[in-house]
Amino acid sequence: MATMQDVARLARVSLSTVSYVLTGARPISQATRDKVLAAMAELDYQPNAMARGLASRRSRILGLLLPMDERGLGATETAFVTGAAAAANTAGYHLVLSPIGVGDLDELRRLASQRMLDGALLMEVQLHDPRVDVLRELSVPLVLIGRTADTTGLSYVDIDFDQTVEEAVEHLVGLGHRRIVYVNHSAETIAEGYGPATRTRDAFAVAMTRHGLEPLMIPAEDSAAGGRTALAAALRQAPDLTAILAMNESAVFGLVGELSSRGLSVPDDLSVISMVTSPQVAELATPALTAMNSPGSAVGRIAIETLLRHVDGGNGEIHQQLLPCALQVRGSSGPPRTGSNTAGNTGADGEQPAVPSTEAARRRAATRRRA
Amino acid sequence: MATMQDVARLARVSLSTVSYVLTGARPISQATRDKVLAAMAELDYQPNAMARGLASRRSRILGLLLPMDERGLGATETAFVTGAAAAANTAGYHLVLSPIGVGDLDELRRLASQRMLDGALLMEVQLHDPRVDVLRELSVPLVLIGRTADTTGLSYVDIDFDQTVEEAVEHLVGLGHRRIVYVNHSAETIAEGYGPATRTRDAFAVAMTRHGLEPLMIPAEDSAAGGRTALAAALRQAPDLTAILAMNESAVFGLVGELSSRGLSVPDDLSVISMVTSPQVAELATPALTAMNSPGSAVGRIAIETLLRHVDGGNGEIHQQLLPCALQVRGSSGPPRTGSNTAGNTGADGEQPAVPSTEAARRRAATRRRA
DNA sequence: GCGGTTAGTCGAAACGCTTCGACTAACCGG
DNA sequence: CCGGTTAGTCGAAGCGTTTCGACTAACCGC
């Protein structure tokens, strides 16, 4: 391993001159620069990261704090990661992914107070995320992918859930659907204050109300079983259901599976839209799911660019940005079945409510009449 | 940020004594040790990673080189990662994930020759993987998750594909299946020499031949569409097909989707087994897939432990280990339909058979009636 | 032709740790 | 009682950079 000293000797210049060629911190004549660069090439010199980090108090390492549960990384999250990694490399930084969740605060504190990170990107941000406090306390620059409840003084990049939900509802209502159920993450996840869950919940309520419709929502565990259970619950609570909007990527598979088990066809009997989903995942289902395409790698790239502005500038303006998901119509959405109310009588675990709620009954009647 | 100097002053000992307390490189009396530890606690001292790395020529960072394509990380790979991260943390190392594939050799060379990595774990190893050469040349200790063609002098942890395939075939044959198709990764992937694809291909040929059966194999793109196409091809080539063994997690979803579109039921008309699959993913399908459960986090843990032996020992014995997948029977496998050859008539892809085979028709009708 | 910049270079002092050699006591066997 | 270990501690020399202050020449406007 050649050192800077070796390069300096070979180029017949001083050690500091070599350093200035590398960092550009002071002007160097073209002639000298060429000599130095030639020497570097000849020796195949690579600066030692540790020495550089010690002297400059900059590690050139950015952390991507990425809780990993047993479900794995969805294609959506992966796109964020690759976008961020590419942007970091372009800027000459290394991006290290640390599978650190809100449970590993000690590990995070260790990582940060060892001055190993120039800055951090947080994923899977919770409304009250203790990782934010830890990093601020240790004055590590940070950018969120997602949002906390109080974002004053914090930079973030997030998905525009309000607009995404609204657009999805718009699509369904435009097709003629009136009875739409929103399948969210689990009740526990919502209670924990997981942003995407709570924000879409609120946005759905607003959007439906604005259309004069009742915002019916059902939580679902993040699993196929959760989706099946949620579907059963949905059909029980709203037998006249014609469309489902699902936030929960895992559940949506169980949900469509259960639909076909019950002999209900998508989209003829029921339309399904999957929210914030990558095209690859949407295509996995049969039929392919109409979905709100996640903005993908752009999220990661913008987050890194913002973070670098904080790291380099020292100050760096606060940057808060929301990116919308684009509706992509595939095979799982269409106009509601006219004529008969297909979903209504689907018994299975569903005995009909002996006395349906008046609201539901009236709506059902209305639907029938229109048909 | 307190430094070691501060700790030494407060504890009234020399700088080197503090260091020895930390590293344990020399014996320290209990009394002194206590003084030093007290001082550290009081100052909330954390060693500076860069300084430590510079002086010791050890970064305490291990790299996990992890190509990330747009499909994202499956639950299987994620389990490897979390297992590895946990094991590394336990040993006082940081694990950094670098989304570096065989295409980013320059980035890898940069990372490695900057002496930023004490060792590396390679995932998604190809039969002739240039990353191995780069790391060896720079004498970075490495352990593979997967295998190259020539493994002399290399430590690795991999899945025992031979046994896994054999067990899966055994299960199907034991149920009475004779006509079994293996759905592999794409022809291109196989040609590239992707280990799991080529090894399972060979193992399937061996296993089937040993049972006196013809080893019919079909490649499939890693997507739902690929699975649908593969199913069509399989039914065309082997109309009397009763079971499918699938290596391709993405394709298997398209495959079962296409089955249900064609009115074929799983497992009555066709049994499906998914290879090297995590329980979470297997449960996503309807019915849940009988699968060979991937060994999960154990792979990552063992790989890290092996790597650390190389890093610490300097020499470290070569360690090569294969872990089997365990068969877990779920809803997608069962005995073949006796009597009639159900799949037989399912004609050219797409249109329904003009005269459905009796069995399939009855089922389909039954399903409809239930609706 | 003179003070004041500016470009270009150098030497040396950090940066915060590890580790080697050396030293002092205490302890051992013979 | 003496040479040889061993436990425990210290001082100092690195590790390979960055960066600060200083120096020399050349150049500026007037």
Side-chain angles (χ1 to χ4, degrees):
Chain A
M1 283 288 111
T3 75
M4 232 162 95
Q5 192 59 261
D6 302 329
V7 175
R9 233 186 326 261
L10 183 58
R12 304 185 172 287
V13 297
S14 81
L15 186 57
S16 46
T17 300
V18 178
S19 175
Y20 290 130
V21 168
L22 231 45
T23 62
R26 288 200 183 172
I28 293 290
S29 73
Q30 191 58 47
T32 308
R33 181 191 315 279
D34 290 346
K35 273 194 303 183
V36 171
L37 291 177
M40 284 183 178
E42 179 166 344
L43 295 174
D44 199 17
Y45 168 77
Q46 285 283 48
N48 178 303
M50 296 293 147
R52 178 187 281 233
L54 177 58
S56 66
R57 260 137 301 193
R58 287 285 199 76
S59 65
R60 301 190 146 266
I61 297 179
L62 302 176
L64 178 48
L65 275 36
L66 175 65
M68 277 191 169
D69 51 23
E70 56 307 323
R71 252 191 323 294
L73 229 55
T76 304
E77 290 89 350
T78 306
F80 294 172
V81 173
T82 53
N89 283 347
T90 302
Y93 278 75
H94 296 290
L95 183 71
V96 313
L97 317 199
S98 242
I100 291 183
V102 292
D104 308 297
L105 288 184
D106 287 342
E107 168 66 4
L108 174 59
R109 191 167 271 122
R110 235 177 71 202
L111 196 65
S113 53
Q114 291 183 154
R115 310 273 82 178
M116 183 160 268
L117 260 36
D118 283 354
L121 238 51
L122 263 62
M123 282 182 65
E124 303 286 314
V125 177
Q126 305 202 345
L127 284 184
H128 298 282
D129 201 308
R131 295 175 298 170
V132 172
D133 304 326
V134 168
L135 290 173
R136 283 186 138 176
E137 184 189 326
L138 297 169
S139 57
V140 175
L142 78 160
V143 169
L144 313 179
I145 294 185
R147 273 172 286 171
T148 50
D150 178 6
T151 59
T152 45
L154 285 174
S155 287
Y156 65 77
V157 183
D158 199 0
I159 288 169
D160 189 337
F161 292 106
D162 289 359
Q163 190 186 326
T164 301
V165 168
E166 178 166 332
E167 209 170 309
V169 168
E170 200 79 47
H171 173 61
L172 288 174
V173 169
L175 286 170
H177 295 276
R178 292 292 172 270
R179 196 62 169 155
I180 305 169
V181 164
Y182 178 52
V183 174
N184 203 333
H185 288 283
S186 72
E188 191 192 1
T189 305
I190 299 173
E192 269 172 10
Y194 181 54
T198 56
R199 292 203 178 85
T200 50
R201 174 196 59 194
D202 299 345
F204 183 72
V206 168
M208 290 295 279
T209 308
R210 218 161 37 69
H211 285 286
L213 302 173
E214 186 191 353
L216 188 53
M217 310 194 227
I218 298 206
E221 298 297 324
D222 285 14
S223 68
R228 285 189 279 268
T229 310
L231 177 67
L235 291 176
R236 209 179 309 118
Q237 290 184 35
D240 53 342
L241 181 64
T242 65
I244 291 180
L245 193 59
M247 181 61 188
N248 189 325
E249 265 191 18
S250 303
V252 80
F253 283 92
L255 200 150
V256 301
E258 180 68 12
L259 278 172
S260 94
S261 305
R262 289 177 179 232
L264 293 176
S265 117
V266 174
D268 292 341
D269 293 324
L270 215 59
S271 285
V272 176
I273 295 190
S274 184
M275 304 265 303
V276 193
T277 298
S278 72
Q280 292 84 4
V281 170
E283 301 281 358
L284 280 188
T286 306
L289 299 172
T290 293
M292 305 303 296
N293 278 351
S294 115
S297 64
V299 175
R301 184 172 43 72
I302 295 173
I304 284 285
E305 287 165 0
T306 304
L307 182 56
L308 284 178
R309 239 173 284 127
H310 288 210
V311 170
D312 290 339
N315 44 5
E317 308 287 293
I318 295 303
H319 180 90
Q320 307 188 327
Q321 182 170 6
L322 295 180
L323 296 169
C325 292
L327 170 68
Q328 180 165 5
V329 179
R330 298 193 185 82
S332 71
S333 67
R337 185 185 289 293
T338 55
S340 78
N341 176 352
T342 330
N345 283 340
T346 310
D349 68 2
E351 63 267 90
Q352 289 285 64
V355 182
S357 80
T358 54
E359 226 351 84
R362 264 201 307 132
R363 291 196 156 272
R364 206 155 52 233
T367 309
R368 289 251 169 75
R369 230 172 292 127
R370 233 200 349 263
Chain B
M1 286 284 114
T3 75
M4 231 163 94
Q5 192 59 261
D6 301 331
V7 175
R9 236 187 323 261
L10 183 59
R12 305 185 170 289
V13 297
S14 82
L15 185 56
S16 46
T17 300
V18 178
S19 174
Y20 291 129
V21 168
L22 230 45
T23 63
R26 288 200 182 170
I28 294 289
S29 73
Q30 192 57 46
T32 308
R33 183 191 314 278
D34 290 345
K35 272 193 305 184
V36 171
L37 291 176
M40 284 183 178
E42 178 166 347
L43 295 175
D44 198 18
Y45 170 77
Q46 285 284 57
N48 177 303
M50 295 293 147
R52 178 187 280 237
L54 178 57
S56 66
R57 261 137 300 189
R58 287 284 199 76
S59 64
R60 300 189 147 267
I61 298 179
L62 303 176
L64 179 48
L65 274 35
L66 175 67
M68 279 192 167
D69 51 23
E70 57 306 325
R71 252 192 323 295
L73 230 55
T76 304
E77 290 90 350
T78 306
F80 295 172
V81 173
T82 54
N89 284 347
T90 302
Y93 279 75
H94 295 289
L95 183 72
V96 312
L97 318 199
S98 242
I100 291 184
V102 292
D104 308 298
L105 289 185
D106 287 343
E107 168 66 5
L108 174 57
R109 191 168 270 121
R110 235 177 71 201
L111 196 65
S113 52
Q114 290 184 153
R115 309 274 81 176
M116 183 160 266
L117 261 34
D118 283 354
L121 238 51
L122 263 63
M123 283 183 65
E124 303 285 317
V125 177
Q126 305 202 345
L127 285 185
H128 299 281
D129 201 308
R131 295 175 298 170
V132 172
D133 303 327
V134 168
L135 290 173
R136 283 185 138 177
E137 184 190 326
L138 296 169
S139 58
V140 175
L142 78 159
V143 170
L144 312 180
I145 294 186
R147 272 171 287 170
T148 50
D150 178 7
T151 59
T152 45
L154 285 174
S155 287
Y156 65 78
V157 183
D158 198 0
I159 287 170
D160 189 337
F161 291 106
D162 289 359
Q163 191 186 325
T164 301
V165 168
E166 178 167 332
E167 209 170 308
V169 169
E170 200 78 48
H171 173 61
L172 288 174
V173 170
L175 285 171
H177 294 274
R178 292 292 171 268
R179 196 66 167 150
I180 305 170
V181 163
Y182 178 52
V183 174
N184 204 333
H185 288 283
S186 70
E188 190 193 1
T189 305
I190 298 173
E192 271 172 9
Y194 181 54
T198 57
R199 293 204 178 83
T200 51
R201 174 196 58 194
D202 299 345
F204 183 72
V206 169
M208 289 295 280
T209 308
R210 218 163 36 69
H211 285 284
L213 302 173
E214 185 192 354
L216 188 55
M217 310 195 228
I218 299 207
E221 299 296 324
D222 286 13
S223 69
R228 285 189 279 268
T229 309
L231 177 67
L235 291 175
R236 209 180 308 116
Q237 291 184 35
D240 53 342
L241 182 64
T242 65
I244 290 181
L245 193 59
M247 180 62 188
N248 190 324
E249 264 192 18
S250 304
V252 81
F253 282 92
L255 201 151
V256 302
E258 180 67 12
L259 277 172
S260 94
S261 304
R262 290 176 179 235
L264 292 174
S265 117
V266 174
D268 293 341
D269 294 323
L270 216 58
S271 285
V272 176
I273 295 190
S274 184
M275 305 265 304
V276 194
T277 299
S278 73
Q280 292 83 5
V281 171
E283 301 281 359
L284 280 188
T286 305
L289 298 172
T290 293
M292 305 303 296
N293 277 352
S294 116
S297 65
V299 175
R301 185 173 43 71
I302 295 174
I304 284 286
E305 287 165 1
T306 304
L307 182 56
L308 285 178
R309 240 173 284 126
H310 287 210
V311 170
D312 290 338
N315 45 7
E317 308 286 294
I318 294 304
H319 180 90
Q320 307 189 327
Q321 183 171 6
L322 295 181
L323 296 169
C325 291
L327 171 68
Q328 180 165 6
V329 178
R330 298 193 185 82
S332 70
S333 67
R337 185 180 294 291
T338 55
S340 78
N341 174 353
T342 331
N345 283 343
T346 312
D349 23 346
E351 66 244 307
Q352 292 288 349
V355 181
S357 73
T358 55
E359 272 306 319
R362 268 201 305 131
R363 301 214 121 249
R364 216 157 38 234
T367 307
R368 287 263 164 70
R369 231 172 291 126
R370 228 184 339 178

